[in-house]
Amino acid sequence: MPELPEVETVARDLQRRVAGATILDATVTWDRTIRHPRPPERFATEISGSTIRRVGRRAKTVLLYLEDGRVMTVALRMTGALIVTEAGMPPDPYARVVFRLADGRDLRYRDVRKFGRIGLWSGGGLRSVGAGRGARSRRVAEGSRRYRIGEVFSGHGPEPLARTFTVARFAERLSRRSAKLKTLLLDQSFIAGVGNIYADEALWRARLHPLRAADTLQDHDVKRLHRAVRQVLREGIANRGASFSDYVGADGEPGANAERLAVYRRTEQPCYRCGRPIRRIVVGQRSTHLCPHCQPEPVASAGT
DNA sequence: ACGCCTACCTGCTTGC
DNA sequence: TGCAAGCAGGTAGGCG
């Protein structure tokens, strides 16, 4: 479900609804949801009594900044959702962690497929990551180490909507890679936050074939792709995300962006630009949608 | 670096 | 109707 626009929507909803709220306690019903600290009882103990200062996002992860400087990370993966419920709502069989808030509401982490992970970290080091080249602190040994939020994102690529993500920077990164564009857009260490939906949408908008090798792009191709990536993400946010099946924002409302997608899950339907049918192929084990006419197949090689 | 595979999980849709 | 296969927005780890 969640790519950058969906996660951003969740984070904004939560900022509005739980910033300032205090967590009384937490109940974990699926242990593996808790990534750190382990065991989950320790997580529950350590989060209890914390007040949420503000809510943000990095890549596809929701960040809940606590008053004491620590940060709770929630990676929703495929089916995770953070939902605020009023007191007295019926229990949710898919709730994996329930945070009871002091005002009587619940903050529920719901996750049908159980892929999502929650962590609680000491603050610090996030800024350098957001800026890009993190110094990556490999130092401390397991056991005695203090887990810092910065380490969680040390391997991530740039935020595509950041001002620092310029065409020049994108061009430089692309020029050093020979991988397929689709694969690279999904690679979180190359660029953070893009997933299967928005990768396909951006490539269609930029008229680039998913199998095109990154280092074969001309300057004008890079410029179009840069603009396309940022546009589809911004439009996704404006529409509160794309919803298939179980994605919802923090207030339980689905997003409206699914109907506005040009290629994703539109196999055999007419391309909005040329009217020819959208095709589905598989790239890197992920289903990939494109218009074969608007996004011409890259030629094998040979200069010509 | 790159590509492919398996694993993690459950539910919904499709086809026989 | 029933049942099995195929599909799903994500990512980590292993192998060649």
Side-chain angles (χ1 to χ4, degrees), chain A residues 220-237:
Chain A
H220 61 269
D221 296 321
V222 174
K223 203 174 287 183
R224 285 204 315 279
L225 186 56
H226 179 265
R227 183 183 354 216
V229 166
R230 289 164 61 104
Q231 273 181 355
V232 297
L233 294 176
R234 277 200 229 96
E235 290 169 20
I237 293 170

Side-chain angles (χ1 to χ4, degrees), chain A residues 164 251 284:
Chain A
T164 50
D251 42 16

Side-chain angles (χ1 to χ4, degrees), chain A residues 109-296:
Chain A
Y109 177 66
R110 172 193 160 92
D111 190 353
V112 174
R113 290 176 72 181
K114 303 175 175 172
F115 289 165
R117 294 293 180 263
I118 294 177
L120 180 59
W121 320 84
S122 58
L126 228 201
R127 186 180 46 266
S128 68
V129 172
R133 301 274 56 97
R136 158 179 309 233
S137 42
R138 248 309 67 98
R139 44 194 168 101
V140 230
E142 200 71 34
S144 67
R145 82 191 282 171
R146 280 187 72 211
Y147 290 82
R148 300 188 138 265
I149 181 64
E151 298 176 43
V152 179
F153 298 105
S154 64
H156 278 65
E159 283 288 329
L161 295 182
R163 263 197 303 277
T164 50
F165 184 67
T166 59
V167 179
R169 187 167 174 211
F170 195 33
E172 205 263 327
R173 291 176 76 79
L174 287 165
S175 70
R176 288 189 278 104
R177 302 292 293 268
S178 60
K180 303 172 171 91
L181 289 177
K182 174 67 185 270
T183 307
L184 272 190
L185 290 178
L186 293 182
D187 180 350
Q188 299 301 297
S189 69
F190 184 78
I191 182 170
V194 179
N196 211 33
I197 295 177
Y198 296 95
D200 285 2
E201 294 297 310
L203 289 169
W204 177 82
R205 199 168 290 205
R207 302 180 188 242
L208 290 167
H209 196 284
L211 297 179
R212 181 88 176 266
D215 56 9
T216 67
L217 295 196
Q218 308 285 306
D219 287 350
H220 61 269
D221 296 321
V222 174
K223 203 174 287 183
R224 285 204 315 279
L225 186 56
H226 179 265
R227 183 183 354 216
V229 166
R230 289 164 61 104
Q231 273 181 355
V232 297
L233 294 176
R234 277 200 229 96
E235 290 169 20
I237 293 170
N239 292 316
R240 296 183 47 79
S243 296
F244 295 99
S245 64
D246 46 13
Y247 163 74
V248 286
D251 42 16
E253 289 298 308
N257 205 44
E259 303 115 60
R260 307 181 189 244
L261 301 177
V263 285
Y264 187 78
R265 291 204 187 175
R266 290 199 63 244
T267 307
E268 298 309 323
Q269 292 177 244
C271 170
Y272 291 135
R273 258 189 324 240
C274 73
R276 292 174 173 83
I278 300 301
R279 300 295 185 204
R280 175 184 179 275
I281 63 175
V282 175
V283 181
Q285 286 91 243
R286 307 301 303 279
S287 89
T288 298
H289 310 75
L290 72 149
C291 171
H293 178 71
C294 296
Q295 298 163 264

